[in-house]
Amino acid sequence: MDDKRKRKIIRSITQFIKAEIRTRKSNGLIIGMSGGIDSSVAAWLAVKALGTEKVFGLILPDSSVTPRKDTKDAEELAQKLKINYKVIEVGKSKNQL
């Protein structure tokens, strides 16, 4: 895929994100971050569309199954994107279901 096509796709997605935030009268968005490629790209696109102050990362690892590296990757990306984020360990909570 050439650069022109990539830029067009990025522009289309970021315009969609902006329009959805506007339509829903929201102040920003919360994005789940796993440390994987899908959530990383989604977080990057959200920041590109809205700016760092309107994107909040939520990292929800289960330490019994989530590799520590995934959580670390998600935290490092949030820091690189300069977004606020929170890590909430959900492993113990799921046992209460």
Side-chain angles (χ1 to χ4, degrees):
M1 183 181 313
D2 65 18
D3 285 347
K4 185 177 179 181
R5 177 80 175 131
K6 289 176 190 174
R7 284 191 302 274
K8 185 176 179 181
I9 292 168
I10 291 168
R11 186 172 45 255
S12 176
I13 294 169
T14 55
Q15 287 174 348
F16 172 79
I17 293 168
K18 287 178 190 177
E20 285 299 309
I21 294 300
R22 231 182 350 264
T23 298
R24 297 169 192 290
K25 297 180 174 116
S26 180
N27 295 324
L29 65 82
I30 298 170
I31 189 155
M33 299 178 70
S34 67
I37 190 72
D38 295 344
S39 66
S40 297
V41 171
W44 181 83
L45 287 165
V47 168
K48 185 155 183 64
L50 304 173
T52 59
E53 66 284 346
K54 293 190 176 188
V55 178
F56 185 86
L58 194 54
I59 304 167
L60 302 169
D62 175 346
S63 61
S64 68
V65 294
T66 306
R68 176 67 189 126
K69 182 179 180 341
D70 290 357
T71 303
K72 185 175 181 234
D73 288 346
E75 289 181 87
E76 287 176 0
L77 179 63
Q79 292 165 2
K80 285 181 184 175
L81 292 175
K82 296 181 170 73
I83 62 172
N84 291 321
Y85 70 95
K86 183 166 183 129
V87 178
I88 301 173
E89 165 59 49
V90 297
K92 292 176 184 160
S93 298
K94 76 176 184 180
N95 293 331
Q96 296 175 8
L97 297 176

